Every structure is written in C-alpha cells, then in structure tokens.
Amino acid sequence: MTALGFSGALLIAAGYVLSNWAASWLLLSIAGYIINWFGDSLDGSLARYRGIERPDYGYFVDHSIDSLANGIFITAIGLSPYMRLDIALFALVGYLLLSIHTFISAKVMGEFRLSYMAGGPTELRIMLIIMTLVMLWAGPDTQALWGFSWFDGFAATIATILVLLFISQTIQTGRYLAREGK
C-alpha cells in the first residue's frame, strides 16, 4: 500500500509537469491524489488487519516516503505553468516544518498529532484537488498582482499559515516542557 501511495504521488507530479503541454494532464494529478490518499491511508490499517504490523518500521518508512512524495509533487506543482517554483517550495517548507514539529512532539510529548486547525492530510488533499480543478478550469494565465497568479497567492497563504502554526506550536510546546521541567 505504501508503494501504491508513492506511485500516486508520482502520477500527481507527472500530471503537473505534463500540464505544460496540455491542461488535460491535470486530470492525471487528480487521479494521483486519489491513489496517493488510498495507499497512504490504508497501509497501516492493512498491516494491522493482517497481523504483520511493525510499528517503528512502519512509522519510519511511512513518514519518510510521505515526505519524499510530498517533496516530489509539490515541486512539480512549481514546475507547472500554474504556480511559481519559489512559491511551491515555500509551501513545501511550511509542510515540512509542521511535519518536523509533529515528529519531534511525538518523541518528547508522546503525542502524534496529524491535524491542526481542524485540518489534516485528507483535508489538504481535498484542497489540492479543488485547486487543481480550478487550474483546469481557469488555465495558467491567471495573473493577479506583480507577476503572481491566484494560485501563487493561495499557496503562499497556506505556506504562511503552516509556518506560523509551526512557530506557534513550537513556542507552546517549549513553554509546556519548560514548565513541566522536562
């Protein structure tokens, strides 16, 4: 299932890059999001159902593959005609910072938290699918201000929220650990 999820991420990336030649390739990205979600969401559940779970190995492999997959397809969004690469990479930084916080918190707090502000990986995929559908509908020539597209604005807003969440959560966790003498 992990390999299926990763192959979905490769399809997402391929769709965005190929959209340089025809917008219809964005449909491949949408199919990739569904495959990625299916594989990523069910790998642990399937292992538990089969009685072959290996919690540490599964945790390590799953989150390593997820980070690589997200890096690949978010970079590919920046290689499409819809979003600037620097903006896509800023979004990737926000995602990775919040991921790092989640992983460190799991170690020091014993809490593995995937959702912030009532949103998690599934909600993020839904937002990206909607954004991709809008890309397909609107086309790449959606300049808003100073050479930035509406898609750049959306991604920069999400990235800023993720970075601010990282800073906020890091301060809160640091204060808690200091107060508890941990």
Side-chain angles (χ1 to χ4, degrees):
M1 291 310 256
T2 300
L4 180 67
F6 187 74
S7 68
L10 295 177
L11 291 175
I12 296 167
Y16 285 122
V17 171
L18 291 169
S19 73
N20 282 288
W21 291 276
S24 59
W25 283 108
L26 292 173
L27 296 171
L28 180 63
S29 294
I30 292 169
Y33 279 118
I34 294 165
I35 293 167
N36 175 260
W37 171 81
F38 183 76
D40 188 39
S41 296
L42 295 180
D43 52 3
S45 298
L46 183 60
R48 284 186 291 281
Y49 175 77
R50 295 167 128 186
I52 58 170
E53 70 268 19
R54 295 181 283 175
D56 292 338
Y57 173 78
Y59 178 88
F60 175 78
V61 170
D62 183 48
H63 296 295
S64 296
I65 296 292
D66 287 349
S67 296
L68 179 61
N70 289 317
I72 290 169
F73 78 73
I74 293 172
T75 300
I77 294 171
L79 296 174
S80 78
Y82 299 90
M83 188 179 295
R84 292 170 43 142
L85 181 60
D86 56 344
I87 300 295
L89 293 177
F90 178 41
L92 179 61
V93 165
Y95 166 80
L96 291 175
L97 282 174
L98 207 51
S99 295
I100 289 166
H101 175 77
T102 298
F103 303 143
I104 293 171
S105 292
K107 171 67 176 153
V108 300
M109 303 281 290
E111 171 190 47
F112 186 72
R113 181 175 170 194
L114 277 177
S115 296
Y116 296 89
M117 294 178 59
T122 297
E123 292 78 11
L124 183 59
R125 283 185 189 95
I126 290 168
M127 286 176 29
L128 289 168
I129 288 170
I130 292 168
M131 181 188 77
T132 305
L133 287 168
V134 173
M135 288 174 171
L136 185 60
W137 171 76
D141 298 321
T142 59
Q143 297 303 313
L145 297 170
W146 306 296
F148 292 89
S149 72
W150 292 107
F151 304 116
D152 294 327
F154 174 75
T157 300
I158 296 298
T160 301
I161 290 168
L162 294 175
V163 170
L164 291 174
L165 272 171
F166 168 76
I167 292 168
S168 168
Q169 293 296 309
T170 299
I171 291 169
Q172 287 178 10
T173 303
R175 286 180 177 163
Y176 171 80
L177 292 171
R179 194 172 46 249
E180 296 296 316
K182 293 182 177 193

